[in-house]
């Protein structure tokens, strides 16, 4: 047997980096750099029909409530940005824990979006109890929903485990807000390992769904000392939004379409809207104005296939943020509560 010289066994700088890379970075997979070990065939033996089971539930739910696709996509995004894609957003608050779901920004996440994930997981549990994580169910169901409303389809890598932490107090600073500057959005996405291009492509998720009046009202009334309406906004569009969103006696439950052109189809119309001042949120419109993001908006407005390609790439990246694998986390039996 060959014996390695002593110098190779001592912790040299090279060894130190090797140690860091293999024994520290891989199991943690926290934060932005995600070295994860997910696979396409993860359930091939343990639950071979998992994708079909989820697909059936999701298709049925979409027939009952077409708004489900947008709701689920936003919930999935909010899950991945807080504690990683680990279904922590599905946990219900308990007497001694105010969960992520009950943080201010998540209160507008719609019930139909939660319902589709819970239903899909229950259907999977009936056939393969204790095998598939809620986090994987979310990733697969979201992919199906996007595809069913006209968007692209991609293969989902699996093997995520469910998180053991869900705290409202850990949400702040991890999710974007409609009043933030593009530079703030860019740093937030960067902190999650996502590039400017990923951010623009993912914002294309606003090609479906709704926003509550309060999210864009500062744009349509008393915008600033010079302009009553945000000058980057199509003025007729802004005026049309004043009807459902009056300054006085506002109904806080009223929503407007994120994509005024083709609101229920997952297509690239959102980007064309931005070129015409038809972006609903300030942050949407700024993507079409800022010199760092505008070129991407223009490319994706011109070619839907390019948007789809970038969107898929970014979704796959996002769905790997901070995932738990191996013996981390757990396989929850009920997505709304931790085991035991
Ligand atoms: C870039 C920064 C982003 C900001 C500032 C932002 C902000 C918002 C806001 C304020 C709403 C309206 C919520 C409401 O009033 O109920 C919304 C809705 C939505 N967002 Fe985003 N978002 C961003 C990125 C994303 C991303 C990356 C995705 C997914 C890939 C996404 C998907 C959605 C969807 C689908 C809706 C509609 C939800 C529904 O109809 O229930 N958003 N977003």
């Amino acid at each position: 047997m060959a014996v390695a010289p002593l110098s190779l066994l001592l912790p040299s700088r090279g060894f130190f980096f090797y140690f860091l890379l293999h024994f520290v970075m891989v199991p943690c997979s926290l934060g932005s750099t995600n070295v994860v070990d997910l696979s396409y065939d993860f359930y091939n033996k343990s639950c071979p029909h998992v994708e079909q089971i989820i697909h059936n539930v999701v298709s049925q739910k979409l027939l009952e409530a077409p708004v489900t696709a947008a709701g689920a996509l936003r919930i999935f995004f909010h899950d991945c940005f807080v504690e990683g894609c680990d279904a922590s957003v599905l946990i219900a608050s308990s007497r001694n824990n105010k969960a992520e779901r009950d943080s201010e920004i998540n209160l507008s996440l719609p019930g139909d979006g939660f319902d589709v994930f819970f239903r899909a997981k229950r259907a999977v549990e009936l056939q393969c109890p204790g095998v598939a994580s809620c986090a994987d169910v979310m990733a697969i169901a979201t992919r199906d929903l996007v595809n069913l409303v006209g968007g692209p389809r991609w293969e989902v890598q699996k093997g995520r485990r469910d998180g053991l932490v869900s705290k409202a107090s850990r949400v702040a600073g991890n999710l974007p807000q409609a009043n933030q500057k593009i530079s703030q959005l860019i740093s937030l996405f960067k902190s999650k390992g996502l590039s400017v291009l990923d951010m623009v492509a993912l914002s294309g998720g606003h090609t479906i769904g709704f926003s509550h009046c309060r999210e864009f009202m500062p744009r349509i009334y008393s915008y600033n000392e010079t302009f009553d309406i945000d000058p980057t906004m199509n003025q007729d569009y802004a005026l049309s939004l004043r009807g459902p969103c009056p300054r006085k006696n506002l109904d806080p439950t009223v929503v407007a379409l994120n994509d005024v052109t083709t609101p229920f189809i997952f297509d690239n119309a959102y980007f064309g809207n931005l070129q015409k001042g038809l972006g609903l949120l300030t942050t949407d419109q700024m993507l079409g104005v800022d010199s760092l993001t505008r070129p991407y908006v223009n490319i994706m407005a011109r070619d839907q296939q390019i948007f789809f390609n970038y969107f898929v790439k970014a979704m796959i990246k996002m769905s790997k943020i901070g995932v738990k694998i191996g013996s981390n986390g757990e396989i929850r039996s009920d997505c709304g509560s931790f085991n035991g």
Side-chain angles (χ1 to χ4, degrees), residues 9-29:
L9 296 174
L10 287 172
S12 66
R13 221 155 56 139
F15 174 85
F16 185 67
F17 283 123
Y18 175 85
F19 177 82
L20 254 185
L21 197 67
H22 289 261
F23 298 99
V24 180
M25 290 179 77
V26 175
C28 287
S29 67

Side-chain angles (χ1 to χ4, degrees), residues 8-310:
L8 285 183
L9 296 174
L10 287 172
S12 66
R13 221 155 56 139
F15 174 85
F16 185 67
F17 283 123
Y18 175 85
F19 177 82
L20 254 185
L21 197 67
H22 289 261
F23 298 99
V24 180
M25 290 179 77
V26 175
C28 287
S29 67
L30 288 169
S32 58
T33 39
N34 297 292
V35 186
V36 295
D37 201 4
L38 301 176
S39 62
Y40 295 109
D41 57 2
F42 194 79
Y43 297 114
N44 274 15
K45 289 210 177 94
S46 57
C47 193
H49 304 300
V50 64
E51 300 224 3
Q52 192 55 53
I53 301 167
I54 294 171
H55 186 78
N56 293 345
V57 173
V58 157
S59 318
Q60 177 58 34
K61 174 71 191 180
L62 195 63
L63 283 177
E64 293 166 19
V67 296
T68 303
L73 177 59
R74 183 164 182 243
I75 294 171
F76 182 63
F77 160 50
H78 282 211
D79 184 46
C80 292
F81 267 46
V82 182
E83 311 285 356
C85 308
D86 65 352
S88 49
V89 74
L90 300 185
I91 293 289
S93 291
S94 61
R95 209 151 20 115
N96 37 24
N97 183 43
K98 185 175 176 192
E100 249 175 61
R101 211 184 141 156
D102 287 322
S103 65
E104 179 65 28
I105 195 169
N106 281 341
L107 291 177
S108 59
L109 294 176
D112 283 314
F114 285 101
D115 185 52
V116 75
F117 295 135
F118 289 130
R119 275 162 70 166
K121 166 69 173 178
R122 281 199 296 271
V124 171
E125 280 299 290
L126 286 179
Q127 296 201 30
C128 325
V131 170
S133 65
C134 299
D136 277 345
V137 169
M138 288 183 78
I140 297 165
T142 304
R143 182 274 317 272
D144 280 353
L145 284 161
V146 165
N147 184 231
L148 283 166
V149 295
R153 190 179 189 286
W154 60 96
E155 290 305 319
V156 173
Q157 288 176 291
K158 297 161 284 272
R160 296 167 190 77
R161 291 170 63 86
D162 299 324
L164 299 170
V165 176
S166 174
K167 291 196 178 302
S169 59
R170 291 167 72 149
V171 172
N174 283 303
L175 290 171
Q177 287 173 283
N179 58 3
Q180 285 182 310
K181 295 195 182 79
I182 291 293
S183 57
Q184 292 174 301
L185 299 183
I186 290 177
S187 359
L188 172 64
F189 278 70
K190 194 172 167 208
S191 74
K192 306 290 174 189
L194 297 167
S195 66
V196 177
L197 172 56
D198 294 327
M199 183 182 90
V200 176
L202 288 171
S203 298
H206 289 177
T207 176
I208 50 174
F210 305 92
S211 295
H212 289 82
C213 295
R214 63 169 177 276
E215 300 291 352
F216 54 83
M217 277 178 71
R219 303 186 71 199
I220 62 174
Y221 296 106
S222 314
Y223 178 69
N224 63 20
E225 280 174 11
T226 320
F227 298 102
D228 195 28
I229 293 174
D230 180 346
T232 65
M233 198 171 190
N234 177 301
Q235 303 292 291
D236 291 337
Y237 175 49
L239 292 174
S240 75
L241 290 167
R242 285 183 173 182
C245 306
R247 211 193 313 222
K248 276 191 191 150
N249 300 326
L250 170 74
D251 175 350
T253 64
V254 168
V255 290
L257 302 165
N258 282 339
D259 170 1
V260 71
T261 314
T262 54
F264 303 106
I265 303 172
F266 197 102
D267 58 11
N268 67 338
Y270 165 82
F271 296 104
N273 292 343
L274 302 187
Q275 294 176 319
K276 296 176 212 135
L278 298 175
L280 183 61
L281 306 176
T282 311
T283 42
D284 290 324
Q285 197 53 60
M286 290 320 290
L287 293 177
V289 171
D290 192 281
S291 62
L292 284 176
T293 49
R294 191 178 53 234
Y296 297 135
V297 166
N298 292 341
I299 291 169
M300 291 189 246
R302 204 164 46 233
D303 189 328
Q304 176 158 293
Q305 194 52 53
I306 291 184
F307 161 48
F308 282 3
N309 294 345
Y310 287 142

